Amino acid sequence: MCTGSDSASDSKSDPNSNGWTRARGAVLKSLVLIGGALLLRRLTKSTTRWDHARIVAESLNGEKFSKEQAVRDPDSYFNFRWLSCPAADMVDGSKVLYFEQAFWRTPHKPFRQRFFMVKPCAKELKCDVEDIAEHLTTIHLKRCERGKRCLYEGSTPADGFPNSWQNGATYCTSELAVLKNNEIHAWDRGYDDDGNQVWGVKGGPYEFKPAPASSFDDVLNPLSFASQPVGKRIEGSFVLQE
């Protein structure tokens, strides 16, 4: 008398219904397996050599300032402006960036201008990214170990590269670290033949952080100007190229 019972009885006895149920279950199972495989592939996808170069190039790009560091230690660090932008893409995929550095108060008068070329390290080198600048200076960057603040870090060879900018220097060294949020730490130092440091900060690298929108207002604010003469403060702190 119950139609529900009759329907259930009919479906049990209908071979077509059983076949459809099994087919639907197989389709659902296949979809789950395919979805899981795609998710696993996405999660385990390895970073390529060119991915490393792209990440470093994007991190070097933009406008950054060392303002926070200059506020903490005004006797050792200046508020420098870092500005970098894409200049060219080479045939082999290398990224060329234009870079300039200036005092934050006079961004239109950069005292350092150069080009960077960012590309993957050759396979025989134990690094991930090469950063090549003027004077054929090359910094080999490696991914930072898990737990460190940085993403990539590296330096020039221990013996540096020839340089005679000032104070009797005969060679220089450069260190570079790429941190999260496009923060850059850069440390350039000059040494004489005896290994004595003759220019560059001694306490640690310059810390360049991306500029907030309000930084442009700070540049135009005369109350923010440093009261100490630039000539006095710059002696022995950083090299200025003529």
Side-chain angles (χ1 to χ4, degrees):
M1 301 295 295
C2 179
T3 56
S5 299
D6 291 339
S7 299
S9 176
D10 292 342
S11 64
K12 289 181 179 179
S13 61
D14 187 354
N16 293 331
S17 176
N18 290 334
W20 166 246
T21 300
R22 288 194 298 271
R24 183 173 59 181
V27 170
L28 291 175
K29 184 177 181 180
S30 298
L31 290 175
V32 170
L33 291 175
I34 293 173
L38 292 175
L39 178 60
L40 180 62
R41 180 180 178 182
R42 182 175 181 181
L43 292 176
T44 59
K45 181 181 178 181
S46 60
T47 304
T48 68
R49 298 166 58 241
W50 288 105
D51 288 333
H52 293 305
R54 175 184 54 79
I55 293 171
V56 170
E58 291 176 352
S59 298
L60 293 174
N61 187 45
E63 185 181 41
K64 315 173 196 297
F65 290 87
S66 57
K67 178 180 178 179
E68 293 183 15
Q69 197 175 28
V71 170
R72 294 197 308 267
D73 189 358
D75 293 329
S76 302
Y77 298 91
F78 297 105
N79 183 3
F80 284 137
R81 175 184 184 251
W82 167 300
L83 180 64
S84 182
C85 60
D89 290 336
M90 306 302 289
V91 175
D92 66 353
S94 301
K95 303 290 185 182
V96 178
L97 305 175
Y98 167 75
F99 164 78
E100 67 178 35
Q101 195 168 326
F103 288 99
W104 68 276
R105 298 178 299 181
T106 54
H108 57 290
K109 296 180 178 180
F111 57 80
R112 174 176 289 178
Q113 295 174 290
R114 61 177 60 167
F115 286 96
F116 291 134
M117 179 182 289
V118 181
K119 65 178 183 179
C121 282
K123 293 183 178 180
E124 63 270 16
L125 298 176
K126 296 181 179 180
C127 58
D128 295 303
V129 181
E130 281 189 295
D131 180 15
I132 305 173
E134 63 183 12
H135 306 304
L136 299 180
T137 306
T138 301
I139 297 178
H140 291 159
L141 298 171
K142 296 182 64 175
R143 282 175 293 181
C144 295
E145 298 177 358
R146 182 172 297 181
K148 299 187 69 173
R149 289 184 58 210
C150 59
L151 300 176
Y152 298 87
E153 62 180 352
S155 64
T156 53
D159 54 355
F161 55 94
N163 180 278
S164 57
W165 284 342
Q166 71 173 32
N167 295 348
T170 57
Y171 69 96
C172 297
T173 61
S174 294
E175 297 180 20
L176 185 69
V178 176
L179 282 71
K180 296 180 180 179
N181 301 321
N182 297 327
E183 182 177 342
I184 298 294
H185 290 186
W187 198 0
D188 298 329
R189 288 169 287 179
Y191 297 87
D192 61 19
D193 284 329
D194 296 324
N196 300 310
Q197 184 177 343
V198 294
W199 65 257
V201 292
K202 297 183 178 180
Y206 265 89
E207 302 172 0
F208 293 96
K209 298 184 179 182
S214 61
S215 64
F216 294 101
D217 298 330
D218 294 339
V219 170
L220 300 177
N221 184 359
L223 297 179
S224 299
F225 287 2
S227 59
Q228 191 172 2
V230 172
K232 181 179 179 180
R233 291 183 60 210
I234 199 169
E235 183 179 356
S237 178
F238 199 85
V239 61
L240 292 180
Q241 291 179 291
E242 297 294 338

